Amino acid sequence: DTAVSQTPKYLVTQMGNDKSIKCEQNLGHDTMYWYKQDSKKFLKIMFSYNNKELIINETVPNRFSPKSPDKAHLNLHINSLELGDSAVYFCASSKGQGMKQYFGPGTRLTVT
Amino acid sequence: GENVEQHPSTLSVQEGDSAVIKCTYSDSASNYFPWYKQELGKGPQLIIDIRSNVGEKKDQRIAVTLNKTAKHFSLHITETQPEDSAVYFCAAQIGDTDKLIFGTGTRLQVFP
């Protein structure tokens, strides 16, 4: 009965590679988000989508590209991975703007 | 820019004591303030939230207070238990956007 799920849970890869993280929510929510949590636990929004439309795009390098095939899914594709991309990435969803946000379990990305 | 300050960064209490975590935000247009609990290896879990039209909200052992004039809000946990040990994050929604700005987190340890 997982509400917001992410795959994979762990991802270890080398610099320069391209990787994707998948997110799915079964809450019927219209809005989904990607957050990055760095090694100091600082949590920062990267993107938000509402009904497959990009709403928030923080100052994230264009190597990061979110894709929403439908409103239950929001995937994150990262090109040319760098050491500084190592972090935990969280997907979240909500009913809409200003509503409660529910987080997934996270994907720990390690770039070597 | 928008900012949320959170104190203290670490807090140790004896089981049964109360714990208080304080946050200050900068955007006077903020009107939604959630609190999240993050256990090791898991995603942030929403534990309580408050909107700007109320000054206090309570849910069993957890309460949140909001002072809009001073731009302060606080989390109060009474009768703490070892399972309350986690990292707690405050957040503030920015204006009319869907963007949450998170505090830097408080590591709470409850000793039996």
Side-chain angles (χ1 to χ4, degrees):
Chain A
D1 291 324
T2 306
V4 182
S5 59
Q6 295 179 229
T7 53
K9 187 163 175 62
Y10 300 98
L11 185 53
V12 180
T13 189
Q14 291 184 327
M15 281 173 51
N17 285 349
D18 303 337
K19 290 292 178 186
S20 291
I21 306 172
K22 295 186 175 183
C23 177
E24 177 181 1
Q25 54 93 4
N26 62 5
L27 297 166
H29 288 168
D30 287 336
T31 306
M32 295 184 72
Y33 314 80
W34 278 108
Y35 285 85
K36 180 180 180 181
Q37 187 171 49
D38 63 22
S39 57
K40 294 185 179 178
K41 293 279 194 183
F42 188 60
L43 199 57
K44 187 171 180 184
I45 190 166
M46 300 172 68
F47 302 101
S48 81
Y49 267 75
N50 181 271
N51 247 327
K52 305 197 307 176
E53 182 185 343
L54 182 65
I55 302 297
I56 293 174
N57 183 350
E58 287 296 284
T59 49
V60 177
N62 57 16
R63 299 182 294 105
F64 289 78
S65 53
K67 287 198 170 43
S68 182
D70 56 60
K71 69 176 192 176
H73 296 84
L74 181 63
N75 304 323
L76 184 65
H77 190 75
I78 316 171
N79 288 330
S80 305
L81 278 155
E82 300 177 357
L83 292 177
D85 297 332
S86 296
V88 181
Y89 292 85
F90 288 102
C91 178
S93 74
S94 74
K95 283 185 185 176
Q97 184 176 316
M99 306 296 282
K100 300 173 195 287
Q101 293 187 23
Y102 298 91
F103 282 73
T107 295
R108 181 174 293 278
L109 171 65
T110 303
V111 183
T112 62
Chain B
E2 307 104 357
N3 186 44
V4 175
E5 292 187 4
Q6 182 172 346
H7 300 281
S9 56
T10 60
L11 180 58
S12 296
V13 299
Q14 207 73 36
E15 183 177 0
D17 287 351
S18 295
V20 180
I21 302 170
K22 298 183 179 182
C23 289
T24 304
Y25 60 97
S26 60
D27 183 5
S28 54
S30 295
N31 55 21
Y32 174 63
F33 308 91
W35 284 89
Y36 286 85
K37 174 184 180 183
Q38 187 176 20
E39 295 174 319
L40 194 62
K42 296 186 178 179
Q45 176 193 359
L46 180 67
I47 55 171
I48 195 167
D49 56 3
I50 192 168
R51 296 191 183 273
S52 58
N53 56 348
V54 298
E56 184 174 356
K57 185 175 176 181
K58 207 170 180 181
D59 182 3
Q60 299 182 340
R61 298 186 296 109
I62 293 173
V64 57
T65 58
L66 171 65
N67 182 331
K68 275 223 81 175
T69 304
K71 293 193 240 173
H72 288 168
F73 58 115
S74 300
L75 178 72
H76 304 252
I77 306 174
T78 58
E79 299 169 32
T80 53
Q81 300 166 3
E83 49 266 39
D84 294 330
S85 298
V87 179
Y88 290 80
F89 292 95
C90 63
Q93 181 187 330
I94 300 303
D96 283 338
T97 73
D98 206 9
K99 185 175 160 185
L100 286 181
I101 299 295
F102 281 81
T104 47
T106 296
R107 184 174 298 279
L108 173 65
Q109 287 185 296
V110 181
F111 292 99

